[in-house]
Amino acid sequence: MFKILFEKLKEAFASVLPVALIVVALSFTPLVDFSTKELITFIISAIFLVAGIGLFNLGADLAMTPMGEQVGSGLTKSRKLQLLVSVCFVMGVLITIAEPDLAVLAEQVKNAVEPTLLIVTIGVGVGLFLLLSILKIVFKKDLSAIIIFFYMVLFMLGMLMISFGKETFVPLAFDSGGVTTGPITVPFIMALGVGVAGAIGGKHASENSFGLIALCSVGPILALMGLVLASKGDLTYELSVASYSIDASLGANFIPAVLKVMKEVAIALGLIVAFFLVLQFVALKLSKSKLLQIGFGICYTFIGLVVFLTAVAVGFMPVGFQLGRELAEMPRVLVASGFVIGMVVVLAEPAVHVLNKQVEEITDGLVTKRSMLIALSVGVGISIGLSMLRIIIGFPIIYYLIPGYFLSLGLSFFVPKLYTAIAFDSGGVASGPLTSSFILPLAIGACSVIHDGGDSILSYAFGIVAMVAMTPLITIQVLGFKAIFSKWIKNRMMMRRIQDADDEQIIDFV
């Protein structure tokens, strides 16, 4: 166990270190002016963030992944479709409520939307689309057609929000799709898909197990758009600079802040555990050893979440916000910094390395881990750089999202379905914990200086998570197209050599 924990801590250290080094390096330049207190708090928070992510990831491996597999395979084998989809809906809602990335996002928009309402609405969206994803596997439906249909619906709803004067909430809606598929949701949903596809079997079982994350990223966007359109009156946003202060969670405020986090995490995980225990007694009947493993995993998840969310609130969000405010005075530096930070953030995400290895194995080396890593790194760097440029100029996020998604959906017609499924799944992988806890506050800080605050922050700062989540959709499919095209060229050349060799042969008739 300690060996596995050590590996998880190493992965978390590699995830946090690049961003921490950039912040510390910038603090020694004339570009930013951090106080000693801010710098020390940030460094200590980075250490605790490593511990939190490491413990949390270990807990996800011990609890969330096995729970997903057991629920998926166990209920599928029961041959009770209604029970399977009902359970998947409830688990989708509960897992989303416990998602730390979503809690960080909700905290940053609490002045516009009540956090509990936001989280529950997004949870319902995930639950409904997890249900839809399971039906896709059971009835073996084409993912590309479903994705294209729902993204067309998304863009129509986005246009409707603009016509109703609620366009400021479009970036937040698309961000919700990126943060929902975070470190607690992804292992569970992917394991659930593997469990259901494996139990059903069939020629394309491995291919059918992909695509759940893609569909579950659509659900929150639709749900939040529906909430905004159904709301009466004007929804407004007002920036609370005090909530990004380094002193907001220090000193006398530290213990109350930690207790608040512990209470929220205990409620979220408690709901998951209670529902899973009901399933255990009614349908699953797992062994005591498996239940003990899941129990330990839940404990690790609880401790990791508390440490992670506390470190984010104390150090990373305030420093990210302050860094954005100071870099905003130099627009070119802001765009360049966004590009560099984007590159190192995606390089450091442990889930990205798992994805790269998975793609290399599935494609039999046609797409290498190195090419994947470079493509994702440059792509995410460009997306954050473009997001910073959008903050400076000030134009709707839809000008980026519509061309980007049309390109990614267009590519789905020219690459194998497996590449499309992996690409759309990987959007949630790229937008990891550091995106919502550091990059989003950085964008909010920059926008608060460049614009007048208020609704302009919702319009221009939010949407950056959606940009990060959109990048893999394009890069992975482009790599897939390149790999297939290279293979076709290679086969053509091989056939030509064979034909040339045959032309030179002399055949004797005896």
Side-chain angles (χ1 to χ4, degrees):
M1 184 67 70
F2 286 106
K3 185 178 179 181
I4 300 173
L5 176 59
F6 180 71
E7 289 299 318
K8 295 296 181 185
L9 290 173
K10 277 175 58 179
E11 291 177 356
F13 179 74
S15 177
V16 175
L17 181 63
V19 175
L21 287 177
I22 288 175
V23 173
V24 172
L26 284 172
S27 69
F28 290 103
T29 69
L31 299 175
V32 295
D33 183 24
F34 291 137
S35 67
T36 304
K37 183 180 181 179
E38 287 174 331
L39 195 57
I40 292 174
T41 303
F42 176 78
I43 292 171
I44 294 173
S45 297
I47 295 170
F48 278 96
L49 197 70
V50 169
I53 294 175
L55 289 167
F56 174 76
N57 286 339
L58 177 62
D61 284 354
L62 292 176
M64 297 305 157
T65 299
M67 285 167 67
E69 289 177 352
Q70 295 299 332
V71 169
S73 61
L75 295 181
T76 303
K77 290 175 182 176
S78 71
R79 302 296 177 184
K80 297 177 181 178
L81 181 60
Q82 187 175 357
L83 175 63
L84 173 64
V85 296
S86 300
V87 168
C88 287
F89 170 76
V90 176
M91 288 299 289
V93 174
L94 297 180
I95 289 289
T96 304
I97 290 173
E99 181 58 58
D101 288 6
L102 181 56
V104 173
L105 178 72
E107 184 66 22
Q108 294 180 80
V109 293
K110 61 184 179 182
N111 291 328
V113 184
E114 204 279 319
T116 303
L117 176 62
L118 178 71
I119 291 173
V120 171
T121 300
I122 290 174
V124 171
V126 173
L128 288 172
F129 273 75
L130 183 57
L131 182 157
L132 178 65
S133 303
I134 297 302
L135 292 176
K136 179 196 82 72
I137 295 175
V138 171
F139 294 106
K140 299 179 175 63
K141 296 298 180 180
D142 180 40
L143 174 67
S144 297
I146 299 173
I147 286 286
I148 290 172
F149 170 76
F150 279 110
Y151 271 100
M152 293 302 103
V153 173
L154 284 183
F155 290 128
M156 285 190 291
L157 285 177
M159 295 301 178
L160 198 60
M161 288 174 69
I162 293 172
S163 65
F164 284 177
K166 297 181 178 181
E167 65 275 4
T168 54
F169 282 84
V170 172
L172 175 61
F174 277 94
D175 273 355
S176 69
V179 300
T180 304
T181 50
I184 195 169
T185 311
V186 168
F188 176 84
I189 291 179
M190 291 192 75
L192 181 68
V194 170
V196 174
I200 292 175
K203 182 180 178 182
H204 302 290
S206 60
E207 182 179 314
N208 288 333
S209 65
F210 289 99
L212 273 74
I213 301 298
L215 287 174
C216 289
S217 298
V218 176
I221 307 175
L222 281 174
L224 193 52
M225 284 182 170
L227 175 66
V228 172
L229 288 170
S231 63
K232 296 180 181 179
D234 294 329
L235 295 172
T236 58
Y237 174 85
E238 185 176 342
L239 175 66
S240 174
V241 178
S243 63
Y244 288 98
S245 168
I246 202 83
D247 295 318
S249 301
L250 288 179
N253 298 323
F254 181 73
I255 298 299
V258 174
L259 291 176
K260 180 185 176 184
V261 170
M262 290 178 69
K263 179 183 176 182
E264 291 172 351
V265 172
I267 292 172
L269 288 179
L271 291 171
I272 296 173
V273 171
F275 187 71
F276 184 77
L277 287 177
V278 171
L279 289 177
Q280 162 65 14
F281 288 116
V282 172
L284 298 179
K285 311 292 184 183
L286 302 181
S287 64
K288 289 183 178 180
S289 60
K290 181 60 87 174
L291 289 176
L292 191 63
Q293 174 195 321
I294 293 174
F296 276 117
I298 293 293
C299 293
Y300 281 123
T301 303
F302 174 80
I303 297 170
L305 274 175
V306 171
V307 174
F308 169 79
L309 292 173
T310 303
V312 164
V314 171
F316 266 65
M317 282 175 56
V319 169
F321 180 79
Q322 183 63 24
L323 182 64
R325 286 180 67 88
E326 300 203 16
L327 291 178
E329 303 291 345
M330 299 156 286
R332 292 182 181 179
V333 176
L334 178 64
V335 174
S337 299
F339 175 75
V340 174
I341 292 173
M343 287 186 68
V344 300
V345 163
V346 76
L347 278 173
E349 286 293 349
V352 167
H353 295 278
V354 175
L355 174 72
N356 294 346
K357 182 180 179 183
Q358 182 185 46
V359 172
E360 186 176 59
E361 291 174 353
I362 290 173
T363 60
D364 293 326
L366 283 175
V367 178
T368 64
K369 288 187 291 184
R370 184 172 177 272
S371 63
M372 273 280 293
L373 200 59
I374 292 172
L376 283 175
S377 175
V378 173
V380 171
I382 291 172
S383 69
I384 295 180
L386 289 174
S387 297
M388 296 303 169
L389 183 64
R390 189 174 75 88
I391 291 173
I392 295 167
I393 299 174
F395 56 86
I397 186 69
I398 213 79
Y399 290 174
Y400 281 155
L401 295 182
I402 288 181
Y405 276 106
F406 266 86
L407 176 59
S408 58
L409 293 172
L411 284 168
S412 67
F413 291 101
F414 300 98
V415 299
K417 294 178 182 179
L418 183 60
Y419 284 96
T420 300
I422 293 172
F424 276 86
D425 274 356
S426 64
V429 173
S431 54
L434 289 177
T435 306
S436 56
S437 64
F438 185 78
I439 293 177
L440 180 56
L442 185 146
I444 293 173
C447 195
S448 68
V449 172
I450 295 172
H451 298 279
D452 58 355
D455 287 345
S456 63
I457 290 178
L458 271 183
S459 299
Y460 307 129
F462 286 88
I464 197 167
V465 180
M467 289 290 290
V468 172
M470 185 180 70
T471 302
L473 276 59
I474 300 170
T475 54
I476 292 179
Q477 290 191 103
V478 167
L479 285 175
F481 181 80
K482 179 176 175 292
I484 297 301
F485 185 73
S486 299
K487 186 176 181 180
W488 180 77
I489 293 293
K490 185 178 179 181
N491 290 340
R492 285 291 302 270
M493 292 177 65
M494 188 179 297
M495 288 298 299
R496 185 171 294 176
R497 284 198 297 268
I498 293 171
Q499 290 171 355
D500 291 343
D502 288 341
D503 289 344
E504 294 172 0
Q505 288 181 359
I506 299 174
I507 302 175
D508 293 325
F509 295 94
V510 179

